[in-house]
Amino acid sequence: MIVPKTLEEINQMIADGVEENISLDYKAADALQNTDGKKKEIAKDVSAMANSAGGVIIYGVKESDDEKRKHLPETITPIDCRTFSKEQLEQIINGNVSPKIEGLLIHPISTGNEFDVVYVVEVPQGDTAHQNTKDRRYYKRQNFISEPMLDHEIRDVMNRSEHPKIELLFEIVKETYETNLEVRPFNIGRVYANYINFFVVLAEELVEGSSGYNNPSDELVEVWGENTHRDYVDSRSRGLYTHTIYGPARFEPVLPGLYGRATKIRVKRKIEQDETAVSEHEITWTVYADNASPRVGSIKLKDIRVIEKEEEY
């Protein structure tokens, strides 16, 4: 889920008619009030987002009143930060959701007037079930709304901390004679991952030698990676050439907070050019780790860090 950080990005979401979904919720300015009823609703919506897939709640954007355009953003309804501050919102969330949602962020975005803002609340997926202490219930996001969770759903969410949580780090590494897109698994969970498999889908025109990969469509290629490693065993000379011998492939567990080995995708030199047509390409990925649910994500080429690697002598 892309988190808007500027007024321009929010206006673009309104212009594009970006609909609410399991990871996106719009709330008009009147949703933020210092009453018990509103505090209960804030805690319910935020905890439901954390108990589901995580996502973004935008306070200060009103949905359309037209039944045919329901769940679509209509206009900005600014919040006076003197009346309702970022700190107040943070205190309401932390004081009425248990346990505290680690990693939650609130981004105040100015609308151009001195005190008028929109609050973008970035809610990570929780590692356990979070309760709305106002009514002692657990909620989830479903069909655009927050609904109470069933017992088995609460138990399932509470077991999240028992599974590894893997995301993918992308870097473009430029060397003298080639450029590679390096994909590295990163364990953001609390338990180590024994087995990791991931699939990265990107535009065929970016990949060097794309014929060696799967093609989910005429314009895309799919690259597969895993956390395996083969140990060096020996080397033997055959005339002018040296043949390196490796042992059998084995899985290398990835511990919490650490990275796995990088999978390199050879890309064409044009990836280095600062062209909108190239930089706007989106890369999508799916990662599997042990018995955890698959995780999916995406990143634009322009948002990937570029590393200039000096030639070693």
Side-chain angles (χ1 to χ4, degrees):
M1 179 67 199
I2 297 175
V3 183
K5 299 288 182 65
T6 66
L7 182 62
E8 290 74 20
E9 289 176 333
I10 292 177
N11 281 326
Q12 192 62 52
M13 292 176 72
I14 296 173
D16 293 342
V18 179
E19 188 177 33
E20 288 184 321
N21 53 57
I22 190 173
S23 299
L24 177 63
D25 197 6
Y26 300 113
K27 298 291 180 184
D30 60 7
L32 298 185
Q33 295 180 28
N34 241 330
T35 65
D36 284 344
K38 293 297 184 181
K39 289 178 181 179
K40 176 182 174 181
E41 287 299 309
I42 293 169
K44 180 177 76 172
D45 293 331
V46 172
S47 62
M49 193 74 77
N51 288 335
S52 299
V56 174
I57 303 176
I58 304 178
Y59 289 97
V61 173
K62 180 181 177 296
E63 296 176 45
S64 175
D65 292 326
D66 186 345
E67 189 63 31
K68 295 181 180 179
R69 293 180 54 80
K70 194 174 181 181
H71 304 300
L72 296 178
E74 183 178 64
T75 186
I76 290 176
T77 55
I79 300 155
D80 188 329
C81 63
R82 297 169 298 179
T83 304
F84 204 100
S85 68
K86 170 190 171 183
E87 289 72 25
Q88 282 178 282
L89 179 55
E90 193 170 49
Q91 288 170 6
I92 289 173
I93 295 171
N94 291 339
N96 296 282
V97 176
S98 180
K100 178 183 175 181
I101 302 172
E102 299 294 338
L104 182 140
L105 298 173
I106 301 175
H107 308 283
I109 298 176
S110 173
T111 63
N113 296 326
E114 186 177 3
F115 300 109
D116 288 346
V117 298
V118 170
Y119 292 126
V120 176
V121 181
E122 188 176 353
V123 185
Q125 185 185 60
D127 288 327
T128 187
H130 296 274
Q131 183 188 54
N132 177 2
T133 59
K134 280 290 185 182
D135 60 11
R136 299 183 181 180
R137 289 187 176 184
Y138 294 85
Y139 293 92
K140 64 180 179 181
R141 285 281 294 171
Q142 183 167 312
N143 298 328
F144 307 104
I145 61 175
S146 301
E147 294 184 345
M149 298 173 69
L150 300 175
D151 176 73
H152 73 88
E153 293 174 320
I154 297 171
R155 293 175 186 271
D156 183 58
V157 172
M158 284 184 170
N159 286 332
R160 281 178 185 167
S161 60
E162 298 179 4
H163 306 305
K165 188 183 292 186
I166 304 297
E167 295 208 344
L168 298 183
L169 172 71
F170 292 83
E171 292 178 333
I172 296 172
V173 180
K174 297 181 181 179
E175 301 185 55
T176 304
Y177 299 107
E178 65 180 45
T179 299
N180 289 296
L181 174 64
E182 296 192 358
V183 186
R184 194 183 303 272
F186 177 53
N187 191 345
I188 63 173
R190 297 182 180 181
V191 297
Y192 68 85
N194 279 303
Y195 312 109
I196 299 173
N197 286 277
F198 58 84
F199 298 86
V200 176
V201 178
L202 67 164
E204 184 178 26
E205 65 178 286
L206 302 177
V207 181
E208 192 75 60
S210 59
S211 58
Y213 300 113
N214 292 330
N215 294 86
S217 74
D218 292 337
E219 300 177 350
L220 299 174
V221 297
E222 181 183 70
V223 182
W224 171 73
E226 61 179 2
N227 65 319
T228 57
H229 175 63
R230 298 180 67 188
D231 295 311
Y232 168 82
V233 175
D234 197 2
S235 60
R236 297 175 184 173
S237 297
R238 292 183 178 178
L240 298 176
Y241 302 97
T242 300
H243 176 60
T244 303
I245 301 173
Y246 295 97
R250 59 179 174 81
F251 282 92
E252 273 193 336
V254 179
L255 300 176
L258 296 182
Y259 295 92
R261 293 178 182 270
T263 294
K264 296 183 179 181
I265 304 171
R266 181 82 177 272
V267 293
K268 297 176 181 178
R269 304 298 286 186
K270 68 179 293 184
I271 204 172
E272 302 176 13
Q273 301 171 3
D274 186 19
E275 297 179 357
T276 301
V278 174
S279 64
E280 288 295 330
H281 277 294
E282 188 172 61
I283 298 171
T284 61
W285 53 268
T286 306
V287 62
Y288 302 84
D290 295 344
N291 59 345
S293 299
R295 292 178 61 83
V296 298
S298 63
I299 187 170
K300 286 192 175 181
L301 197 61
K302 65 180 181 181
D303 296 326
I304 299 176
R305 185 172 70 141
V306 178
I307 299 174
E308 298 276 358
K309 192 171 183 180
E310 296 183 3
E311 187 173 0
E312 298 179 358
Y313 296 95

